[in-house]
Amino acid sequence: MEHLNQSIERTTLSNLVCNEEYCRKVLPFIKPDYFDLKEERVVFEEITNFVDKYKRIPTKISLEIEVESRKDLTEDQHKKIVEIIQTLDSTEVDMEWLVDTTEKFCKDKAIYNAIVEGISIIDGKDKNRKPDSIPNILTDALAVCFDNAVGHDYFEDSEKRFDFYHRVEERIPFDLEFFNKITKGGLPSKTLNICLAGTGVGKSLFMCHMAASCLSQGKNVLYITLEMAEERIAERIDANLMNVSMEDLHDLPKNMFDDKIAKLNKKTNGKLIVKEYPTATAHSAHFRGLIKELAIKKSFKPDMIFIDYLNICASSRLKGASNVNSYTYIKSIAEELRGLAVECNVPIMSATQTTRTGYTSSDLGLEDTSESFGLPATADFMFAIISNEELEKLNQIVVKQLKNRYNDPTVNKRFVLGIDRSKMRLYDVENKEQEDLVDSNQTPVFDNTDFGGHNKFLKKNLEMLKEPDYEDFKV
């Protein structure tokens, strides 16, 4: 094995000097500590320094001259290094095989070095790091790979672009018709999606309903709550999935409750994990650690993450919120959560509160987002949930699109959903309920509101601007 590694290392050094295409592909990903022998590390360092400075591969003579000028080598080391340089010759090998073999060599050495570092930390030889840093060291080692993508070439990559246009993107669908319409089939991975509503309107209800829907589809769901207890969230999801009111849920006998849980367990392959954190104490780094811990302890990888809710999270980058304005702080949290979605390759759903004026408004906009306009700037999809006394009597809520990177937000800008608060459920209403609302800016439900009144005022003014009928003035 030692002889094989030495052969790979010498082959790597030879091609770094003799093969410019290979050098440009792999040099950014190789580290000096991948070479066991100090003499080989010195050769690699000189190759790297030469390429960085002159933007081309060095000759053997230039390497020998550079090594000659070093003051940190003994006479024996210098002699061995010169011998190594003289053996660096070009050989005919398949380029694809050579790159793949070099990548495997780098991965193996990275993992080996990480294990050695871990042992050193455990033995107390490393005074700067503690044992809790070992998982991150191993994670970084396992992530080593050659990524040669340096951007999208408009003409050369046109075929890839065409395939992208026609590729069906994997999404997590809603069980609500209009949400699937406006998102083209559901929420894609690596996105941050935000629900805007006033206190008590139904932010948590919406997220609990969607969590239950994802679980029913066989998806793994991670629900992080910073507002309510874990049991309260699970209680709401129980009411939704069991189709039992919150009041009746507490009166269910144990055997009936167990029977319903067993039936739900048979219907889905998914898992639901609910994790509670104290308000304003947890941030994206805590969530990332939780995801890693769940992967190790429960073999659980989430397909969808819910965070209830964004404004009461902490920021991992900005310490001490008292010294930072709310715009910067909330925007930082939003950026960190979107980064977490990209890193974990999942959609994240969260929520935010309205401002005081937005709480009493019957037609919310992006400007009604509390604390920071940086949140809607970061989100991929943002919608508002609107309610009033007339809607409550009809057991309905209105959803209004505020921002949509998946589809045209002006199509189906508003739509109505049915709501059953006792069972924590949302449902589609009949199409006739949408007729005066979808693709228009008015609805009979809003006639008694500022929004409806504004439309009636416009309508009256338009009627006054029509040309008068002079038939009545004829003699």
Side-chain angles (χ1 to χ4, degrees):
M1 183 66 184
E2 185 178 349
H3 174 72
L4 178 61
N5 275 346
Q6 188 175 7
S7 175
I8 293 172
E9 291 164 357
R10 292 295 174 87
T11 303
T12 299
L13 292 174
S14 293
N15 282 275
L16 286 175
V17 172
C18 303
N19 189 329
E20 186 169 355
E21 182 184 358
Y22 171 82
C23 181
R24 297 196 182 281
K25 278 187 175 182
V26 307
L27 189 61
F29 307 104
I30 304 175
K31 296 181 179 179
D33 58 6
Y34 293 169
F35 297 89
D36 293 329
L37 297 177
K38 180 180 179 180
E39 292 79 8
E40 290 176 339
R41 283 200 299 273
V42 170
V43 175
F44 175 75
E45 288 170 1
E46 293 302 334
I47 294 172
T48 304
N49 293 338
F50 190 94
V51 173
D52 288 344
K53 186 174 182 179
Y54 299 103
K55 312 304 179 190
R56 58 180 180 271
I57 59 176
T59 63
K60 290 193 287 186
I61 294 174
S62 61
L63 286 177
E64 289 180 15
I65 294 171
E66 290 297 330
V67 169
E68 183 72 32
S69 63
R70 291 184 64 140
K71 307 297 183 183
D72 59 337
L73 302 172
T74 65
E75 187 175 344
D76 288 340
Q77 287 174 335
H78 179 267
K79 184 178 179 182
K80 290 179 181 178
I81 291 170
V82 171
E83 289 176 357
I84 291 172
I85 293 173
Q86 290 174 350
T87 62
L88 303 180
D89 293 318
S90 176
T91 53
E92 287 293 330
V93 291
D94 181 78
M95 175 62 75
E96 186 176 354
W97 172 87
L98 184 59
V99 172
D100 289 344
T101 304
T102 307
E103 182 175 13
K104 185 178 183 305
F105 159 69
C106 292
K107 285 182 176 180
D108 292 344
K109 294 301 295 184
I111 293 170
Y112 175 81
N113 291 344
I115 293 171
V116 171
E117 284 183 52
I119 294 171
S120 176
I121 292 170
I122 292 171
D123 290 343
K125 296 177 181 177
D126 191 329
K127 304 299 182 182
N128 298 321
R129 290 180 290 184
K130 296 180 180 180
D132 58 5
S133 65
I134 293 175
N136 289 332
I137 294 171
L138 290 172
T139 300
D140 292 341
L142 291 169
V144 171
C145 68
F146 287 8
D147 182 4
N148 294 311
V150 291
H152 180 86
D153 188 301
Y154 183 79
F155 292 107
E156 291 184 7
D157 296 331
S158 59
E159 189 172 341
K160 292 180 181 178
R161 193 162 65 251
F162 180 84
D163 293 338
F164 170 78
Y165 294 155
H166 294 81
R167 185 172 67 241
V168 178
E169 188 175 15
E170 186 177 349
R171 294 169 181 258
I172 295 185
F174 294 85
D175 59 349
L176 302 166
E177 179 187 359
F178 272 88
F179 267 107
N180 281 328
K181 282 183 178 180
I182 65 176
T183 59
K184 292 186 176 180
L187 299 179
S189 299
K190 304 180 181 180
T191 57
L192 177 62
N193 309 276
I194 300 294
C195 170
L196 170 68
T199 302
V201 173
K203 299 186 300 297
S204 295
L205 186 151
F206 177 87
M207 288 198 288
C208 286
H209 172 87
M210 193 174 172
S213 171
C214 293
L215 183 62
S216 299
Q217 296 172 43
K219 305 295 184 183
N220 286 337
V221 179
L222 175 59
Y223 197 111
I224 296 171
T225 173
L226 295 96
E227 187 174 37
M228 287 186 287
E230 296 171 354
E231 295 78 11
R232 291 297 180 191
I233 296 297
E235 176 188 32
R236 290 173 171 225
I237 294 174
D238 273 338
N240 182 294
L241 290 173
M242 295 180 183
N243 196 24
V244 176
S245 70
M246 296 277 282
E247 186 176 344
D248 292 340
L249 185 64
H250 291 270
D251 297 329
L252 275 180
K254 180 70 163 60
N255 61 338
M256 190 177 294
F257 179 83
D258 291 341
D259 184 54
K260 287 182 177 291
I261 290 293
K263 287 180 179 178
L264 290 172
N265 197 17
K266 287 181 181 178
K267 287 182 180 179
T268 181
N269 295 322
K271 290 183 180 181
L272 169 65
I273 302 292
V274 184
K275 175 62 178 176
E276 176 188 1
Y277 287 98
T279 302
T281 60
H283 48 65
S284 59
H286 293 102
F287 306 151
R288 187 177 293 107
L290 172 64
I291 292 166
K292 290 180 180 178
E293 193 174 356
L294 288 170
I296 294 169
K297 294 181 178 179
K298 288 183 171 285
S299 300
F300 175 89
K301 181 182 182 300
D303 298 305
M304 177 99 182
I305 299 174
F306 295 86
I307 299 175
D308 191 4
Y309 61 97
L310 186 143
N311 293 62
I312 53 178
C313 292
S315 170
S316 63
R317 293 181 293 175
L318 303 178
K319 306 299 181 183
S322 58
N323 299 323
V324 183
N325 63 71
S326 62
Y327 174 90
T328 304
Y329 195 72
I330 299 300
K331 187 174 189 296
S332 176
I333 295 171
E335 290 170 347
E336 290 161 18
L337 293 185
R338 193 176 188 282
L340 182 66
V342 173
E343 182 180 332
C344 297
N345 193 31
V346 297
I348 288 181
M349 170 64 70
S350 191
T352 188
Q353 298 272 19
T354 60
T355 58
R356 279 186 296 176
T357 55
Y359 180 73
T360 58
S361 173
S362 58
D363 187 40
L364 298 176
L366 288 175
E367 70 279 0
D368 294 309
T369 306
S370 67
E371 296 186 275
S372 176
F373 198 74
L375 171 53
T378 306
D380 296 282
F381 176 50
M382 190 166 177
F383 60 92
I385 295 178
I386 303 169
S387 181
N388 56 35
E389 290 183 4
E390 289 85 353
L391 288 166
E392 287 175 359
K393 290 176 184 177
L394 296 170
N395 292 322
Q396 292 178 349
I397 56 173
V398 168
V399 177
K400 178 185 176 183
Q401 294 188 66
L402 302 177
K403 180 181 180 180
N404 192 341
R405 286 177 175 165
Y406 317 136
N407 209 342
D408 183 355
T410 61
V411 178
N412 297 322
K413 190 173 185 65
R414 295 178 182 81
F415 55 91
V416 175
L417 290 177
I419 184 169
D420 185 343
R421 295 185 184 275
S422 66
K423 296 180 179 178
M424 294 292 143
R425 279 190 164 190
L426 299 169
Y427 55 88
D428 293 316
V429 297
E430 296 181 9
N431 286 335
K432 65 180 181 180
E433 301 285 346
Q434 311 282 359
E435 288 176 0
D436 295 323
L437 186 63
V438 177
D439 293 331
S440 70
N441 289 328
Q442 52 187 321
T443 172
V445 172
F446 284 133
D447 280 350
N448 297 325
T449 66
D450 294 338
F451 176 58
H454 177 65
N455 283 322
K456 285 194 281 187
F457 174 75
L458 288 176
K459 184 177 179 182
K460 184 177 179 181
N461 281 348
L462 288 171
E463 288 176 352
M464 291 175 63
L465 290 172
K466 291 180 181 177
E467 290 188 13
D469 188 351
Y470 291 100
E471 291 294 328
D472 295 338
F473 292 93
K474 289 182 180 178
V475 178

